[in-house]
Amino acid sequence: VKLLKIQRQMFANEKSELTAAEYKRLVNAAGNSRISFVLQTICGTGIRVSELQYITAEAVEDGRAVVSCKNKTRIIFIPVQLQRILKNYIKKAGIKSGCVFVTNGGKPLNRSNIWREMKMLCRKAHVNPDKVFPHNLRHLFARTFYQLEKDIVRLADLLGHSNVETTRIYTIETGVRHREGLNAVGQILFTT
């Protein structure tokens, strides 16, 4: 019996990866609603949906949130631009302390609340609903950070991954850049 070797996935599926332009259309379609600020918080920090409850008025003021989840504690930094945006939202919403994103009943928003609100934005934003779910915002954050910094170890720390191989999954691109690079090599090596 021969073992079948399968090469790890090299490229992300273009039909499932949310682009920065699509993300911006979603945020614009959401306007000044709560879901707009949720989208910006998840995508601007790379947090998991389950960690959104740790974004409190106090954390926004401090510029960092302490997340305790799965027997781990880590710090989530809130970028200055996002901090400014969230401070305005907190002021307008009349939030004095505690969790920033809550239901009408005062409980922290959960995955299903966020999922439903995100899906409702798709038609208005002209974004394929198959690409729109909270975890894809985390992937977009990771790809964007990696494109800028090229530091997978620091990205792993920011995402709360103990294994860089897990982080590598988040940085997989669609192959467009690979094609562009190959075409540039072709222009140098081939004549015609």
Side-chain angles (χ1 to χ4, degrees), residues 88-97:
N88 286 334
Y89 171 73
I90 288 168
K91 185 177 179 180
K92 286 180 185 174
I95 299 167
K96 301 292 181 209
S97 66

Side-chain angles (χ1 to χ4, degrees), residues 31-44:
N32 279 327
S33 66
R34 176 183 64 194
I35 192 64
S36 171
F37 300 105
V38 168
L39 294 172
Q40 292 176 76
T41 301
I42 295 172
C43 199

